[in-house]
Every structure is written in C-alpha cells, then in structure tokens.
C-alpha cells in the first residue's frame, strides 16, 4: 500500500488550495457567528457556495464527465473533502443528493434518469432529501411500511417518513417503499418523488440544537410517475445498500482535518482559561492519538479505492469509529471547558472558535443515524469476523 501522494495528486491539491484562497469569503464558523445569520440565510449561503464549486468543476469529483462530473480519482476526491474541511468551507448543501443519490443513479439508474437528475443536483438547483427512516423502521430498515401500489402509469404512495434531513428545504426525496408486503427484502422499491406532488406534506421537526434541519414527510395517495422508479420493482433493498455504503464510508479523512483544527482550538481555549492542567493535557493527547488512528484508517480505505474497489464492510468500521470518537471528543471538550463551553453560539460570551455546545448536542445523533452503532457491530461481527447469527 503506497501512502504517498503522486505528483498529479499534489498538483491537484495545490490548485484547489489556490482556488479556495481566492473564493472562500470567510470560514464557516464566522458565518455561523454572524448575528444576522438565520437558518434561511445560511441555507442560501450554502446553495451559493455549492454553485461556485460546481461552476469551478469541483462537484461530482469522481463521477464520469458525461454526467457532469470531473472524472477525478477517488484519491483526488478525498483530497477535495479534506481541503474543504481544513479551510473550514461551508458544508455543501445538496450533500444527500451528491453523496448518496448520485452514486445510486450512476450504479442503478437509467440513462434518462442520470441525464435528468444529476446536472441540477450538482448545480444546487434541485435539493434532495432521503426518505428511508419511518416511525417503526429506523435501524431495522426492512420493517418499513410506506406502500407504493402500481396504478396504470403511476405508483400510489401512502405512509410516513421521519428524521428526514433537509426535508424542509428539499425539492425532491428518494424513497424506499414497500411494493410487496409478503417479501421483507425483495418487496422494497426505490422511487424519486417531487415534494410538491399533491398528497405529499412536509413538516419541520425542531431539534435539541434549536435548528429544524430535520422534517417528517407524509404520503396520502400521492401519485408518482412509474418512470421515477430506480432499477426494477423489488430492487430497493439492493440500491439502499449501495447508498448506505457511500453514506458510511470514506469521509474519515475530512473528519480528521476538522478534528485536528478543533483539538487545536480546545487546547488554546484551555490554555487561555487557565485550565490546561496535566490531566487536561493527557485527555487532549489521547484524543489526538485516536484522531491519528482514524486518519490512518481513512488512508487505508483510500488505498482500497485507488485499486478500483467499491466501499464494502469497511465502511461499517469507519462509521463506528468516527461516530463514537465524536461523542468522546465533544464530551471531553465540555468537561475541560467548564460552564463557558455550554454557551450556544447565539449566547452573549460564547466562545468564538467552536460552537462546543452545539457540537456536543449534535454528536448524540452520530451513533444513531445511517445505521446505529449496534447495527454496525452486527455487520462487522457477521460479515468481517464471520461470527454466527444469534
């Protein structure tokens, strides 16, 4: 396994850094600190930033050029993610479309679907959300009950999705729905639904952070053209596994860059507050070592990509590691910073470096969404270690 960057990869990294210095207005954390910032204004800012990246040719990095991508290598894509994290750039708004649906369409969609949906997805003209979780089907995804019944040239959808990230802001949703109630896995299909379709209702959900990034989506006799079915009827579970593999994997290098920066901020905050004791140094050093382990795992996964292999069960290992590390890091930060670390960004006297309280609250979700830690451990036990089913 060669861990050194090639001259081509180094040239790409330098070109990207130059572009970021010329085009990034200010770090994302400063945008969040702006007293005039609202959820709407921050969404608009992220949409505009995505458009700039798209026009510069930096979105759909590893996708074929014929569908609007850059045709770059997985190594260059990983460099792109890491450099944006290091520069503290605004998060890409259409992350669910580009990160999850796009690869699913490339692998399983029709030529017509790719040409219709991918360009506006990359440009930020159509924002996507994910309709997987239901009130009774989260970690046990195959228990989903939202139904789709074929009626002429349309599927008729009935049911409810919940914890729908970007639901209140999205234009489209990709939905797992049940087309055969007797077949647990083979009776699931994957359809694309426009959110202004009659019979579709989106309601925002207020989170513990005070934000409404999540929503719940209701389908009541919503009619969806059958050409919006991805793959064949009953292919939904197989397509969902492709989506989840991309969701769980290959982001750890970008995470490592972010944690590196935040650990530096934590050390400086403790120093300036007179709280950098020997015990605090030991805790921060332990987190630094754990972050380096995550970075090494990310590089190992990248080497797998460089050999032309798709993400597999190693994505479950990545998911467990970063989500559990994130909880430990944020809990330790609040412990070391004391009461001042618990102020949200909008509170007078809040720290200007990192919104520590918000990061702590958000870290509780990481071990639940995209397959809980318990589910990931079962996958590793069964598919990596070969242990028998309990």
């Amino acid at each position: 396994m060669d861990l050194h960057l090639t001259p081509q990869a180094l040239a790409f990294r330098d070109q990207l850094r130059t572009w970021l210095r010329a085009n990034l207005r200010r770090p994302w954390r400063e945008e969040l600190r702006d007293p005039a910032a609202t959820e709407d204004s921050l969404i608009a800012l992220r949409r505009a930033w995505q458009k700039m990246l798209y026009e510069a040719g930096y979105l759909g990095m590893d996708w074929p050029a014929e569908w609007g991508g850059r045709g770059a290598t997985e190594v260059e894509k990983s460099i792109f993610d890491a450099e944006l994290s290091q520069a503290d750039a605004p998060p890409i708004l259409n992350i669910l479309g580009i990160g999850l649906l796009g690869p699913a369409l490339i692998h399983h969609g029709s030529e017509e679907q790719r040409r219709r949906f991918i360009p506006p997805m990359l440009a930020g003209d159509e924002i996507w959300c994910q309709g997987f979780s239901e009130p009774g089907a989260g970690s046990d995804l195959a228990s989903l009950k939202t139904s789709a019944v074929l009626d002429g040239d349309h599927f008729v959808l009935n049911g409810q999705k919940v914890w729908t990230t970007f639901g209140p802001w999205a234009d489209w949703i990709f939905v797992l729905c049940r087309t055969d109630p007797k077949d647990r896995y083979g009776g699931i299909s994957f359809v694309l639904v426009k959110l202004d379709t009659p019979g579709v209702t989106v309601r925002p959900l207020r989170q513990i952070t005070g934000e409404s990034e999540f929503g719940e989506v209701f389908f009541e006799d919503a009619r969806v053209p059958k050409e919006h079915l991805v793959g064949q009827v009953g292919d939904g579970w197989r397509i969902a596994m492709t989506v989840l593999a991309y969701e769980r994997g290959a982001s750890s290098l970008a995470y490592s860059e972010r944690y590196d920066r935040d650990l530096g901020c934590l050390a400086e905050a403790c120093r300036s507050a007179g709280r950098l004791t020997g015990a605090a140094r030991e805790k921060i050093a332990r987190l630094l070592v754990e972050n380096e382990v995550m970075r090494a795992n990310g590089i190992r996964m990248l080497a797998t990509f460089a050999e032309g292999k798709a993400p597999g069960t190693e994505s479950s290992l990545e998911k467990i590691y970063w989500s559990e590390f994130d909880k430990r890091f944020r809990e330790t930060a609040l412990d070391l910073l004391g009461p001042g670390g618990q102020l949200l960004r909008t509170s007078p006297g809040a720290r200007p470096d990192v919104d520590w309280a918000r990061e702590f609250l958000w870290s509780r979700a990481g071990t639940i969404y995209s397959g809980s830690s318990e589910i990931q451990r079962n996958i590793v036990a069964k598919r990596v270690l070969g242990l028998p089913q309990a």
Side-chain angles (χ1 to χ4, degrees):
M1 181 173 66
D2 185 358
L3 301 182
H4 295 91
L5 294 178
T6 65
Q8 178 186 351
L10 288 170
F12 170 76
R13 184 197 64 184
D14 293 344
Q15 178 198 51
L16 176 58
R17 286 181 177 177
T18 300
W19 187 88
L20 286 170
R21 281 195 294 271
N23 292 278
L24 183 61
R25 187 176 72 159
R26 56 179 175 174
W28 178 238
R29 70 186 58 191
E30 292 185 16
E31 301 287 0
L32 292 172
R33 295 285 179 195
D34 191 328
T38 64
E39 279 192 275
D40 285 333
S41 70
L42 292 172
I43 289 290
L45 188 152
R46 292 174 65 177
R47 188 189 293 269
W49 175 244
Q50 179 177 332
K51 178 77 80 175
M52 290 174 66
L53 287 168
Y54 172 68
E55 291 175 347
Y58 285 120
L59 289 188
M61 284 287 298
D62 56 331
W63 298 1
E66 64 179 305
W67 300 320
R70 187 183 177 95
T73 65
E74 285 287 352
V75 174
E76 290 170 335
K77 177 180 181 297
S78 185
I79 290 172
F80 170 78
D81 292 337
E83 290 297 320
L84 260 64
S85 181
Q86 189 175 60
D88 197 14
I92 294 168
L93 178 60
N94 206 11
I95 189 64
L96 295 175
I98 297 173
L100 306 182
L101 179 60
L105 288 179
I106 290 172
H107 283 288
H108 305 287
S110 66
E111 182 75 9
E112 184 178 85
Q113 288 171 338
R114 294 174 191 135
R115 296 196 183 283
R116 161 63 185 86
F117 292 112
I118 287 179
M121 178 190 302
L122 290 173
D125 294 332
E126 291 179 344
I127 305 302
W128 287 84
C129 60
Q130 180 188 41
F132 280 16
S133 296
E134 298 183 5
S139 294
D140 185 14
L141 186 58
S143 295
L144 64 88
K145 290 184 168 44
T146 295
S147 64
V149 177
L150 190 58
D151 179 21
D153 292 336
H154 290 75
F155 288 101
V156 181
L157 269 62
N158 282 282
Q160 178 191 356
K161 298 294 179 179
V162 73
W163 311 125
T164 310
T165 305
F166 290 124
W169 317 101
D171 305 289
W172 287 80
I173 181 171
F174 49 99
V175 179
L176 284 182
C177 48
R178 186 156 294 286
T179 43
D180 182 351
K182 298 177 182 176
D183 190 335
R184 179 173 167 83
Y185 296 101
I188 295 173
S189 297
F190 192 107
V191 298
L192 313 176
V193 183
K194 203 165 190 302
L195 283 171
D196 64 0
T197 301
V200 178
T201 303
V202 182
R203 297 176 184 165
L205 290 173
R206 182 68 64 184
Q207 302 158 220
I208 193 172
T209 59
E211 301 157 341
S212 295
E213 186 178 284
F214 290 150
E216 53 185 347
V217 183
F218 298 85
F219 302 95
E220 297 174 275
D221 293 329
R223 297 182 67 82
V224 179
K226 67 179 183 181
E227 58 264 31
H228 290 174
L229 171 76
V230 179
Q232 303 298 315
V233 172
D235 277 350
W237 186 257
R238 182 169 63 93
I239 298 172
M241 292 305 102
T242 300
V243 170
L244 291 174
Y246 277 94
E247 184 176 14
R248 293 167 183 164
S251 299
S252 53
L253 284 178
Y255 289 139
S256 291
E257 292 294 339
R258 181 181 171 205
Y259 291 135
D260 245 1
R261 188 182 62 238
D262 287 0
L263 280 166
C265 292
L266 177 61
E268 179 55 35
C270 289
R271 183 181 296 110
S272 63
R275 304 176 71 95
L276 196 57
T277 62
R281 291 174 187 272
E282 182 177 335
K283 289 179 180 179
I284 294 173
R286 185 181 297 276
L287 292 172
L288 276 169
V289 171
E290 291 184 30
N291 190 36
E292 288 307 308
V293 171
M294 183 163 61
R295 193 194 310 277
N297 280 333
I299 292 172
R300 182 175 63 178
M301 197 165 175
L302 191 59
T304 301
F305 283 148
E307 294 171 2
K309 300 176 182 175
T313 50
E314 64 270 22
S315 62
S316 291
L317 295 170
E318 293 288 296
K319 170 65 171 45
I320 293 172
Y321 194 95
W322 77 255
S323 60
E324 298 288 347
F325 173 78
D326 193 48
K327 282 176 63 177
R328 288 195 299 277
F329 178 20
R330 304 308 177 182
E331 288 168 358
T332 302
L334 285 202
D335 178 43
L336 295 180
L337 292 171
Q342 298 177 24
L343 297 174
L344 291 170
R345 66 180 173 84
T346 52
S347 304
R351 293 199 55 80
D353 47 10
V354 177
D355 193 346
W356 296 104
R358 193 262 184 194
E359 295 295 340
F360 168 77
L361 294 172
W362 184 250
S363 72
R364 323 316 292 170
T367 55
I368 300 172
Y369 68 72
S370 184
S372 67
S373 289
E374 288 76 12
I375 292 293
Q376 302 309 316
R377 289 190 180 101
N378 279 336
I379 292 173
V380 171
K382 183 177 179 181
R383 300 183 189 173
V384 178
L385 300 178
L387 297 179
Q389 186 81 33

